[in-house]
Amino acid sequence: MHKSKRLAKALVAVSVTLTLVLSGCGSSNTASKDSGSSAGTITIGAPVAATGSLANEGKLVHDGYTLWQNVVNKQGGLLVDGKRYKVNINFQDDQSVATNSASLTEKMYTQDNIRLFLSPYASGNIFSATTVAEKHKVPMISGGGGAKSIFTRDYKYVFSAYPYSGAYLGSVLDLLKTQGVKTLAFLHADDVFSKEADQGGEEYAKSHGFDIVYSAQYPSNASDLTSQLTQIAQKAPDALIGTGHFQEAVLLVKEAKQMNVNFKSIAFTVGPTMPSFAKTLGKDAEGILGASLWTPDLPYKDDVFGTSKDYAALYKQTFGVDPDYHSAMASAAAELMGLAIQKAGSQDPQKVRDALAGLGTVHLFDGDFTIESNGSISGLKLPVIQIQDGKAVTVWPGSFSQSFKDFPLPAWNKR
Amino acid sequence: MHLWLQVLVNGILQGGILGISALAFSLQWGVMNLINLAHGSFQVLAAYLAVLILQHLGLDPLLAVPLIFLVFFAWGYLVQFFLINRVITSNLFMTLLLTFGMDFVLANLMILFFTADFKSINTPYANSSWQWFGLQFPIVRTLALLFLIVLSVLLWLFLEYSRPGRAIRATSMGMEPARLMGLKIPHVYALTFALSSGLAAIGGVFFGLSNAFSPASGGPLTVGAFVVTILGGAGTSWGPLAGGLILGVLDAVGSVVFGPTYVNVITFGLLLIILVLRPNGVLGRAG
């Protein structure tokens, strides 16, 4: 009995230690310690999820920010007022909880004396973290989401590399229009991003002559949508547009097949762009469209990363996997921060904020866009991808459309 | 007409998925007064184990069910015997704290070993269905319901007629009298948790076949099992089946009548009504 008691104590101790170690893992400091000949270090705070339900995308954003930091430091650092400064991104794990994003931003401001910030992942978390940045009058750039509600609060210190969520579906609908699609069914999750993306998509569809025959909102993390698919099947729309999260996109494809509900085309805002989508669904993923924000095929370039293809190659070399748009958008947000610091010639938060507001139209590796007066961006041309032979292929805009195929999609039982 | 029949079928089949997940949770709660907050993570871990077995041994997840059951049975026994037994006799808060901690550790270990990427168990039949009378019966969901019925019968037989089963029931009726009758309570508890871990793992395999999952998927599973257990009644062999069917059908019909947004309102509204009218669940013992 005594022996087992002691063993139990040891087990408890191990589990407690593990808990502590793992929660400690959240805050990591990935900057290179080598300061070389630089005049100093500019520290940027980033409360990005490493654990919790957003850990997956949080990692992509983390890697996007990190890649920029690595590249800038390799190039000698940022040139600020004639001197070179290394950059150091201070990551803290918000555990996917929006209130943590805010409290960590507060902590980094008050305890760590950080004055420049890159955003967490997910619009809800950004919404919460930016309230703290605004309160302390320090700039925060969103590299993890673009809900309109973030930018309608008259904030002066919040900027973004993301287009509005409501703009995501425009390119998909343009593409479907060229294929003669008339009727659409919309299904979306109930979070801020999905609602806005769906609303924007439905408005765009109506104004472009589509007929919306079904539209419904389901709770996030839904584990069964068969009854919605049964309803949709009765209306027999040409295309299904799903706006939600990765697991719900996978669920919809699985259940559409199980219920034998066929569409001429299926498109999702989140899901197909991630490599695990095709891996998870196998041949059932073939031909499905994804609204993307960036692909390596896009014909843009800048001084830090080079072309989109260079970016993709560097990313793969660094992290061992192909980049997803989440990482590219995060890198672009970090790049904006770098541009603003160099333009301001200072790391003073007020000067950096003014420089950001005055950047106007920028040309980055992910595209050309304009910083609007409310901190959001406009003008970014969004690509559409299609799963072909297990890979995401760019099929929109314009010249890419010749690679579009599988229309209408083959019936599930013919795959 | 066809729409409503199909929706009814969808609801009944979803009831199978919900019920099979709640089987273990209900047993733990009913016998040991243990609300296992790590329940969902146990199930997700079983889904990962099924993926590993499929990838490395090429063994179909449904054929691997006995193996997965045994692994989780053994593991569950150890966890209860060496960890949960230490706090099970103190107040409920301590067991909540311990299982919450276990959930946290498990979820993060899974991120460490399997990454935060989503996975799904992919078998040729995972996305197929049988067609009867013009209605669709997805294979995995139909099998889940059949498994649930068979497991409920087996569990009932085990608890009713076998010696260890009677020991478990005796302990659930009163720990002190059972101890005085010569039962070794720590072993009875460990056996209960072992059995329920095995059952949880079977539920996890079906979850992995029907959904995409990541290490963070455990939370919603625990909540689902919690609701089904309250509806059906904790610690009864038939409670999970009854609770699952009630919830599955109500959610399916409700989501068509009121829209899927209101599924959670229906679920938790029903939970409130049951808690007020029949606090021990529709099949629960009289309190």
Side-chain angles (χ1 to χ4, degrees):
Chain A
M1 193 67 204
H2 270 301
K3 217 179 201 173
S4 68
K5 214 167 205 167
R6 232 178 300 149
L7 185 54
K9 271 186 191 154
L11 275 177
V12 172
V14 167
S15 61
V16 168
T17 319
L18 267 178
T19 312
L20 292 176
V21 167
L22 286 168
S23 52
C25 282
S27 59
S28 63
N29 188 335
T30 42
S32 66
K33 294 278 174 277
D34 164 37
S35 57
S37 59
S38 72
T41 304
I42 297 175
T43 305
I44 300 167
V48 184
T51 58
S53 59
L54 305 175
N56 200 10
E57 294 89 345
K59 166 102 171 62
L60 300 176
V61 170
H62 174 281
D63 291 351
Y65 291 161
T66 306
L67 194 66
W68 172 78
Q69 169 192 280
N70 293 354
V71 169
V72 165
N73 286 344
K74 211 171 181 182
Q75 290 169 355
L78 289 175
L79 190 61
V80 182
D81 202 16
K83 291 188 205 107
R84 290 264 172 199
Y85 288 84
K86 297 271 179 186
V87 288
N88 165 25
I89 301 179
N90 186 332
F91 288 102
Q92 310 247 341
D93 177 15
D94 72 7
Q95 298 171 330
S96 307
V97 181
T99 47
N100 287 354
S101 316
S103 56
L104 281 176
T105 308
E106 179 77 39
K107 177 193 158 277
M108 285 192 267
Y109 178 87
T110 49
Q111 292 180 22
D112 307 334
N113 281 316
I114 293 173
R115 294 293 178 264
L116 304 169
F117 289 92
L118 290 167
S119 83
Y121 173 73
S123 290
N125 300 49
I126 299 167
F127 191 89
S128 144
T130 46
T131 54
V132 177
E134 183 74 14
K135 181 179 84 179
H136 293 302
K137 297 194 188 316
V138 290
M140 176 177 273
I141 304 178
S142 165
K148 197 173 186 172
S149 49
I150 297 168
F151 301 100
T152 49
R153 295 174 294 179
D154 258 344
Y155 279 10
K156 301 282 177 271
Y157 292 81
V158 179
F159 296 87
S160 178
Y162 263 72
Y164 279 152
S165 314
Y168 279 37
L169 283 169
S171 299
V172 170
L173 294 168
D174 287 342
L175 170 61
L176 292 180
K177 185 98 194 163
T178 63
Q179 303 299 317
V181 167
K182 298 278 316 167
T183 50
L184 303 172
F186 281 87
L187 256 179
H188 69 279
D190 60 357
D191 62 292
V192 176
F193 162 75
S194 303
K195 271 153 84 171
E196 275 187 24
D198 178 85
Q199 208 181 356
E202 290 195 29
E203 277 164 18
Y204 193 89
K206 274 183 210 149
S207 63
H208 285 71
F210 289 98
D211 194 6
I212 301 173
V213 296
Y214 180 92
S215 169
Q217 172 178 307
Y218 59 82
S220 298
N221 282 321
S223 63
D224 178 27
L225 294 167
T226 46
S227 294
Q228 280 57 60
L229 286 163
T230 306
Q231 268 183 298
I232 291 172
Q234 302 247 315
K235 315 253 180 184
D238 293 336
L240 171 70
I241 314 271
T243 309
H245 310 94
F246 183 88
Q247 68 269 38
E248 295 141 18
V250 171
L251 183 74
L252 272 171
V253 175
K254 281 174 94 99
E255 295 192 332
K257 185 178 180 192
Q258 288 170 7
M259 306 305 291
N260 201 24
V261 184
N262 290 294
F263 301 94
K264 285 184 186 161
S265 188
I266 299 176
F268 295 106
T269 44
V270 177
T273 52
M274 301 187 200
S276 40
F277 184 81
K279 231 188 285 170
T280 306
L281 286 168
K283 62 184 190 316
D284 295 334
E286 286 298 304
I288 291 176
L289 299 174
S292 185
L293 298 183
W294 172 86
T295 74
D297 302 323
L298 293 179
Y300 309 109
K301 61 184 217 175
D302 64 32
D303 299 336
V304 177
F305 290 114
T307 64
S308 276
K309 274 208 171 54
D310 296 339
Y311 176 85
L314 179 67
Y315 189 96
K316 174 129 196 184
Q317 189 194 332
T318 312
F319 300 109
V321 289
D322 290 317
D324 168 78
Y325 77 74
H326 290 91
S327 300
M329 300 307 283
S331 296
E335 233 184 317
L336 275 185
M337 183 63 90
L339 282 180
I341 293 170
Q342 289 182 316
K343 187 176 173 222
S346 159
Q347 49 175 312
D348 174 75
Q350 184 61 42
K351 286 183 181 152
V352 173
R353 182 262 155 209
D354 293 340
L356 275 166
L359 275 180
T361 300
V362 291
H363 310 278
L364 299 185
F365 76 96
D366 72 323
D368 305 336
F369 55 86
T370 306
I371 315 270
E372 296 292 330
S373 59
N374 67 355
S376 68
I377 64 163
S378 65
L380 193 64
K381 286 202 176 59
L382 304 183
V384 178
I385 60 99
Q386 183 178 38
I387 306 293
Q388 298 179 1
D389 297 323
K391 292 220 157 43
V393 177
T394 311
V395 293
W396 194 259
S399 56
F400 295 105
S401 61
Q402 57 205 13
S403 35
F404 180 68
K405 60 179 196 182
D406 285 339
F407 187 91
L409 288 171
W412 295 115
N413 53 15
K414 302 263 161 39
R415 279 166 183 260
Chain B
M1 192 58 210
H2 174 267
L3 168 77
W4 292 106
L5 273 179
Q6 181 68 58
V7 167
L8 196 65
V9 168
N10 296 345
I12 291 171
L13 295 181
Q14 176 66 7
I17 296 269
L18 289 168
I20 204 165
S21 158
L23 211 51
F25 194 80
S26 159
L27 190 64
Q28 292 162 354
W29 192 350
V31 173
M32 301 184 285
N33 202 23
L34 167 70
I35 296 176
N36 181 8
L37 295 179
H39 172 72
S41 287
F42 270 62
Q43 291 199 292
V44 176
L45 189 62
Y48 276 111
L49 183 61
V51 171
L52 287 182
I53 290 177
L54 179 65
Q55 280 173 352
H56 295 284
L57 305 178
L59 191 57
D60 185 273
L62 290 182
L63 296 177
V65 156
L67 178 66
I68 294 171
F69 178 87
L70 284 178
V71 170
F72 273 77
F73 186 92
W75 188 55
Y77 193 96
L78 296 175
V79 166
Q80 175 74 31
F81 197 82
F82 291 113
L83 271 179
I84 305 178
N85 270 353
R86 304 291 132 190
V87 298
I88 192 95
T89 47
S90 56
N91 63 31
L92 186 65
F93 182 70
M94 283 306 291
T95 55
L96 282 177
L97 206 60
L98 178 64
T99 54
F100 180 75
M102 270 166 43
D103 183 60
F104 197 78
V105 171
L106 271 180
N108 282 290
L109 283 178
M110 284 193 281
I111 290 184
L112 212 60
F113 287 115
F114 303 115
T115 75
D117 262 352
F118 276 92
K119 294 227 164 43
S120 185
I121 308 175
N122 244 345
T123 57
Y125 57 81
N127 298 341
S128 304
S129 54
W130 289 308
Q131 215 170 359
W132 289 321
F133 309 109
L135 296 174
Q136 302 289 338
F137 289 80
I139 292 177
V140 170
R141 288 167 180 272
T142 311
L143 286 178
L145 184 62
L146 293 177
F147 258 75
L148 173 59
I149 293 170
V150 171
L151 286 175
S152 298
V153 171
L154 288 177
L155 184 63
W156 179 73
L157 288 174
F158 172 77
L159 290 177
E160 206 68 20
Y161 296 109
S162 76
R163 250 190 98 77
R166 286 176 185 204
I168 287 176
R169 279 199 302 140
T171 312
S172 81
M173 287 170 191
M175 193 187 76
E176 208 47 29
R179 197 174 61 80
L180 292 172
M181 287 306 180
L183 286 176
K184 292 197 176 72
I185 303 298
H187 286 283
V188 175
Y189 274 0
L191 183 68
T192 310
F193 197 81
L195 185 64
S196 54
S197 298
L199 292 173
I202 297 178
V205 172
F206 278 103
F207 176 71
L209 281 164
S210 61
N211 280 276
F213 57 90
S214 78
S217 301
L221 279 173
T222 306
V223 174
F226 188 83
V227 175
V228 170
T229 301
I230 289 183
L231 290 183
T236 62
S237 313
W238 307 104
L241 180 62
L245 289 181
I246 294 172
L247 188 61
V249 171
L250 265 179
D251 276 358
V253 174
S255 74
V256 172
V257 178
F258 304 108
T261 321
Y262 297 100
V263 164
N264 284 343
V265 178
I266 297 166
T267 304
F268 291 101
L270 182 68
L271 191 71
L272 268 180
I273 294 171
I274 293 280
L275 278 174
V276 170
L277 297 182
R278 280 196 68 96
N280 293 305
V282 286
L283 294 183
R285 294 162 305 184

